[in-house]
Amino acid sequence: MGAILAVTLTACSFPGDLSILNEGPDGVTVLTGDDEVVLDTGGGVILLDYGCTPGDVTVEFDSGSEVVVPGPVCPEQQIVVGDGTAMLQPAESNEQ
């Protein structure tokens, strides 16, 4: 069970962090439109200062199937990947 931390630098404003969790039994590749993130089973990533995706998000499963999450997806939501599924849920607050 690993967690990956990715950083995307942006301009002066703080656009918010985008979270992706893989709760499914298989590895996945998540294509945000700007980035490609590979997650193992039980893995997750927080894209710091990412803001909203430029459009839809594609989740490609190791089995070869894929699911498209309608976008843009913004920091108020997190992408949660399951067994052949991908859905949006409210993001946990990480305010300090």
Side-chain angles (χ1 to χ4, degrees):
M1 182 190 280
I4 301 169
L5 183 65
V7 177
T8 302
L9 298 177
T10 60
C12 299
S13 65
F14 177 73
D17 303 337
L18 184 65
S19 300
I20 307 169
L21 302 174
N22 182 10
E23 297 179 346
D26 300 312
V28 296
T29 301
V30 180
L31 307 166
T32 66
D34 292 329
D35 288 310
E36 179 176 304
V37 178
V38 178
L39 298 173
D40 292 327
T41 301
V45 65
I46 297 174
L47 301 172
L48 299 177
D49 296 339
Y50 186 86
C52 299
T53 64
D56 296 343
V57 174
T58 303
V59 179
E60 297 177 343
F61 296 88
D62 285 350
S63 65
S65 64
E66 66 179 42
V67 172
V68 175
V69 178
V73 178
C74 294
E76 300 80 35
Q77 300 173 308
Q78 63 182 348
I79 300 167
V80 179
V81 178
D83 187 5
T85 64
M87 66 182 84
L88 298 177
Q89 294 181 349
E92 294 182 22
S93 175
N94 57 2
E95 294 179 16
Q96 298 174 354

